[in-house]
Amino acid sequence: MPPRPGFGTQGRKVMLWANSFPLVFQGLPAVHRYSVEVLAAEERGRVPTGKKLSRVVQLLLEEHFPGQTHEIASDFKSNLISRTELDLAEEGYLIPYRGDHDEEAAPGAPTYRVRVQETGTLSVSDLVNYLTSTGAGALLHNKEELLQCLNIILGHFPKAAPGIASIGPRKHFQIATATRMSLGAGLEALQGFFFSVRAATARIIVNVQVKNAAFFEEGPLDRLMRAYLGENGPNKVRLGQFVKGLSVNPTHIVKKNKKGQVVPRVKKVAGLATPNDGQGDPHPPKVRGFGAGPRDVLFFRGGASEAPASQPSTGKKKGKKPAKAGPDPPSTEGYISVYDFFQETYNITIQDPALPVINVGSRQRPSYLPAQICDVLAGQPSVAKLSPSQTQQMIRFAVRKPPQNAQSIVTSGLQTLGVGSPDSNLGPFGLELIPKLTTVVGRVLNCPDVRYGGNKSIRPKFGSWNMQSIQFSAKAELPYWSYLWLSYPTRRDPWRDDQALQPTIDAFTAVLRETGINAGNCIRGQHVTVQDVDQDLEHAIRAFTSHAKPPKFILVILPAVDTALYNRVKYLCDVQEGLLNVCAVANKFAKPNNAQYFANVALKVNLKLGGRNQLVDPSKLGVVGERKTMVVGIDVTHPSPGSSSEAPSVAGVVASIDHTLAQWPADLRVQPARQEMVADLGPMLQSRLRLWSQHNGSYPQNVLVYRDGVSEGQYDIVLEKELPALRTACRELYPAHLTKQGYPRMTIVVVGKRHHHRFYPTKAEDADRSTNPQNGTVVDRGVTEARNWDFFLQAHTALQGTARPAHYYIVYDEIFRVQKVQQPLQNAADALEDLTHNMCYLFGRATKAVSICPPAYYADLVCERARCYLSKLFDPSSVPGSEPSVSGERRGGGPGAELNRVSIHDRVRDAMFYI
């Protein structure tokens, strides 16, 4: 990867705090690394995963290395790090499984065989010497392994502490003391912290950031289930998915150890009772329907009472029988309902017989419990997609002023990490974390003037500006257009009929003309009351394109913010019928004195029609302003929790067509799910190069790529897989004499949004109105490595909360290293930082600087639009008639039926249809 060409020099210097702490070493110890493999000791036994695996590793340390507690660190999965060499048993270790409060393994509990093998010795001094070396060509082949080792040591305390819940390897939440807020429907938001050991110039730092996550509310399961049903309606299939996997503690039997402590009898919810439970059992349970209540779930009771379960009497599979439910009643045989069983055996009357019974066994060997006698254990994160109301609550909870976050990091964050705790293992490993935020030098870059029609210039203030009485830089032609007004059958509209709507349409038309769009009068459109989303919308939109002269553009007025309606409109217009469109919500569109809202809609209309909203002086765009550089944005979107198993990943590519960076047509392709690297990158780039050639008469000499969505561990893969694909695509198109001269020159910049670095002003005069750093702040030292070429840029002004800068990492460069830098810029670092910053003022949908540069932003929007087209796969719950099946699988169209749904219609393919 290209070395840093020097640090940036431009802008006004400011001192900032970073959310990182110095990690210092005492004696620079060597540490021993071991691999851990946990296997089932019995034949056909299951290998533990998740929390059970973590507990097995914990038992290994407690029982076999008790005197070395503080000298061993583990990720409680597959690695051990030891300050001293361990005396290992060659045959491994047998670990009988027991719970946290159990003094010994219960009868029938599984036993696991644990193998521990040394994999090498790591010298921390090698990492320190590498970071402090002045040799630019110095290499450290095991740098990532050393950083992983330090992360394991640092993460050992929060993973081992009983009151801390961990999500993944680096997010930790103190359950009892965490700041929290109810999200409704059985969930609550908790504040926790993310930790990461990172290399920086001449030092090692620990990055600590506030993180928020949704957890299941602790307490009675029946209360949680009623809360969910109260907000989501009586859908038992979704309720079953909601509680599936939850760990609960049945309270009808209390077990205590010798110390008098209550020992939880933790059970995992397999789902709700279904009629298909216990197939193959000679006496299968009788369940009236999916999610039946305790009176409608009957299980077969043998001669003596058992826990409410169905047990095969002659099954060939070995399995642990449920624990006896208590004192045996008189010997009876036959079917009994869960309701009657708990009434007779435990004198427990189930208060809500309508609430579904849960299954804490399996589908083949079910074990039923009423929700009333189950308590949800604390510290269980939810991975399900939040509802819109829950998302709003989560945003409200997460938005905090920068000083609040900084204070939480220094206090609660370090406490969660165990700094200052006698149980911390940092000291024995020769590590010390200095509890003071790192100070870094930043620079505030000057913002460019923004130009509009008539050569009018605006100087932005606080990263934004007003285009009142200003026309677009290049107006679009809109001679023939119409509208589609959608209504619900049971909801009142802002207008009683088309005649009442006309004044609003006229006011909108006037704003279009004021902003410079040459708009003709809107022809009368359609008013459709939507009852069947698919059929009614398809019929209405096809009516526009079936005319001999279809309108160039339609305004779609939605009755509300409705995901299903919006997704269907976008698919029908963009993919099926080829009709440029913009959606507006009726109650916002109908407000009086609505010029500002109309102007915001006009921004999208002008871009979709091929217009140009704003400009900056070409001299502010460096190599792009020389008219020989095509800028490309690339992103990939992946299936989210709740997506169909058939949902693919989708890659989106956008590219500029001229030096003004106003128009960015796009291409979309589907590829295998979870594959980050773009499969069809070559053909996608070729389609963009041909479009550039159509507008400019030749292919560009430079291709500047901003690659979004790539994690730090995948930088090398971009070079190994995507760069060759880009190269091959260019060789196939470019004339031989240009390829021999080395054209096109190519630079690839990875854009990072999901990093954890934040910056805080040290002086009030260096802060903006929300106490964040001022817009245009760039940081390229202090938390970066001198050998790598990267920088953080906060181009925008955050409206609320703590601003997140974008991280730009240059993985390949042929453009800037040979480009002659114009004064006052001093080096290639200045050139790229200045270009990237100024581009943030050219995002056509806003009158403000945006947080990431437009090519990455537009590529992200393209991928989001693809999710609309594939909503049946990406978000089945938002599609009418797409309820998940009883087994919990999501239903979606087959791949063959759905994957062609991202092929944009020829009539709109070269427009910014995704804006």
Side-chain angles (χ1 to χ4, degrees), residues 596-769:
Q596 185 61 54
Y597 181 78
F598 289 160
N600 289 336
V601 177
L603 292 170
K604 301 179 186 180
V605 174
N606 194 50
L607 289 176
K608 293 199 177 191
L609 295 173
R612 186 174 62 222
N613 287 357
Q614 71 254 31
L615 294 172
V616 298
D617 191 281
S619 65
K620 296 293 185 181
L621 297 179
V623 65
V624 175
E626 297 174 6
R627 302 172 182 251
K628 300 175 182 177
T629 302
M630 183 175 79
V631 186
V632 179
I634 304 173
D635 193 14
V636 179
T637 188
H638 303 290
S640 52
S643 295
S644 164
S645 59
E646 299 170 352
S649 290
V650 183
V653 172
V654 301
S656 60
I657 59 173
D658 60 26
H659 72 286
T660 64
L661 303 183
Q663 284 290 309
W664 300 76
D667 196 6
L668 281 166
R669 302 288 172 92
V670 296
Q671 60 187 44
R674 305 293 172 192
Q675 177 178 305
E676 181 56 50
M677 296 302 109
V678 181
D680 291 332
L681 186 54
M684 295 173 82
L685 179 67
Q686 287 181 343
S687 70
R688 302 305 93 195
L689 289 168
R690 292 190 184 99
L691 208 54
W692 170 278
S693 180
Q694 290 174 21
H695 286 83
N696 298 275
S698 63
Y699 294 120
Q701 291 185 4
N702 305 311
V703 176
L704 172 57
V705 178
Y706 285 88
R707 176 65 163 93
D708 194 9
V710 176
S711 65
E712 290 181 350
Q714 296 173 316
Y715 290 170
D716 284 327
I717 303 178
V718 173
L719 296 179
E720 294 164 4
K721 294 188 177 180
E722 293 190 348
L723 177 60
L726 295 170
R727 284 266 177 245
T728 301
C730 293
R731 278 197 302 270
E732 292 174 356
L733 281 187
Y734 277 64
H737 72 278
L738 289 179
T739 56
K740 287 179 180 178
Q741 296 177 48
Y743 292 119
R745 291 189 291 260
M746 197 168 292
T747 292
I748 303 176
V749 182
V750 173
V751 184
K753 304 190 296 284
R754 295 184 177 91
H755 62 83
H756 302 278
H757 289 282
R758 303 292 185 271
F759 302 105
Y760 313 102
T762 59
K763 298 179 181 178
E765 56 266 31
D766 293 331
D768 66 9
R769 292 172 294 184

Side-chain angles (χ1 to χ4, degrees), residues 300-626:
F300 187 81
R301 180 167 59 179
S305 172
E306 294 178 341
S310 173
Q311 294 293 330
S313 57
T314 58
K316 295 182 180 180
K317 290 185 180 179
K318 291 184 179 181
K320 184 177 66 173
K321 280 194 173 185
K324 289 282 185 178
D328 292 343
S331 177
T332 56
E333 185 171 290
Y335 280 92
I336 186 172
S337 72
V338 171
Y339 184 95
D340 291 337
F341 177 85
F342 276 87
Q343 180 73 59
E344 292 178 11
T345 310
Y346 304 107
N347 196 28
I348 293 175
T349 301
I350 298 173
Q351 302 298 319
D352 188 355
L355 205 61
V357 163
I358 62 166
N359 177 7
V360 295
S362 65
R363 290 294 176 217
Q364 293 73 35
R365 300 172 65 84
S367 179
Y368 298 123
L369 292 173
Q372 176 180 321
I373 58 99
C374 295
D375 278 347
V376 177
L377 301 182
Q380 299 187 69
S382 169
V383 297
K385 182 180 178 181
L386 298 180
S387 68
S389 63
Q390 288 174 327
T391 301
Q392 288 180 355
Q393 290 292 96
M394 178 63 84
I395 292 172
R396 190 174 294 117
F397 175 74
V399 170
R400 303 170 82 227
K401 294 234 177 238
Q404 291 178 291
N405 274 348
Q407 184 64 28
S408 294
I409 288 168
V410 173
T411 54
S412 301
L414 296 186
Q415 182 186 21
T416 304
L417 196 56
V419 175
S421 169
D423 294 326
S424 172
N425 57 359
L426 294 182
F429 275 94
L431 305 177
E432 182 184 1
L433 191 147
I434 308 299
K436 292 183 179 179
L437 293 175
T438 302
T439 304
V440 299
V441 177
R443 292 169 287 111
V444 181
L445 304 180
N446 294 325
C447 67
D449 288 348
V450 180
R451 294 186 175 182
Y452 282 94
N455 206 26
K456 290 186 177 181
S457 291
I458 300 176
R459 173 59 58 92
K461 292 182 179 180
F462 307 109
S464 63
W465 62 96
N466 193 319
M467 58 172 291
Q468 188 174 2
S469 303
I470 297 292
Q471 292 195 341
F472 294 130
S473 173
K475 62 184 181 181
E477 298 293 325
L478 185 56
Y480 185 68
W481 63 291
S482 187
Y483 64 82
L484 173 60
W485 171 18
L486 302 177
S487 297
Y488 292 135
T490 58
R491 184 165 180 160
R492 187 174 180 180
D493 291 310
W495 312 278
R496 64 180 180 276
D497 53 27
D498 289 80
Q499 187 175 355
L501 170 64
Q502 193 59 46
T504 308
I505 294 292
D506 292 341
F508 176 62
T509 306
V511 171
L512 293 180
R513 292 167 180 165
E514 289 169 9
T515 56
I517 298 175
N518 190 8
N521 291 329
C522 178
I523 65 169
R524 182 165 179 170
Q526 301 181 59
H527 182 195
V528 176
T529 300
V530 179
Q531 298 187 13
D532 184 305
V533 172
D534 287 352
Q535 293 186 10
D536 291 345
L537 285 181
E538 184 166 3
H539 178 77
I541 292 173
R542 186 163 289 170
F544 286 112
T545 56
S546 62
H547 291 163
K549 184 183 178 183
K552 187 176 182 180
F553 164 85
I554 62 169
L555 172 71
V556 182
I557 303 173
L558 302 175
V561 179
D562 186 317
T563 302
L565 274 180
Y566 180 85
N567 291 345
R568 189 63 179 161
V569 166
K570 292 304 176 184
Y571 170 73
L572 290 169
C573 289
D574 299 348
V575 177
Q576 185 164 305
E577 300 299 326
L579 191 57
L580 291 174
N581 66 96
V582 167
C583 291
V585 179
N587 61 355
K588 294 182 179 179
F589 196 69
K591 286 182 179 178
N593 304 319
N594 214 7
Q596 185 61 54
Y597 181 78
F598 289 160
N600 289 336
V601 177
L603 292 170
K604 301 179 186 180
V605 174
N606 194 50
L607 289 176
K608 293 199 177 191
L609 295 173
R612 186 174 62 222
N613 287 357
Q614 71 254 31
L615 294 172
V616 298
D617 191 281
S619 65
K620 296 293 185 181
L621 297 179
V623 65
V624 175
E626 297 174 6

Side-chain angles (χ1 to χ4, degrees), residues 142-163:
N142 63 345
K143 172 187 165 186
E144 296 305 320
E145 190 178 3
L146 279 163
L147 289 174
Q148 183 190 29
C149 165
L150 291 173
N151 272 305
I152 291 172
I153 295 171
L154 206 74
H156 178 87
F157 174 86
K159 279 186 169 291

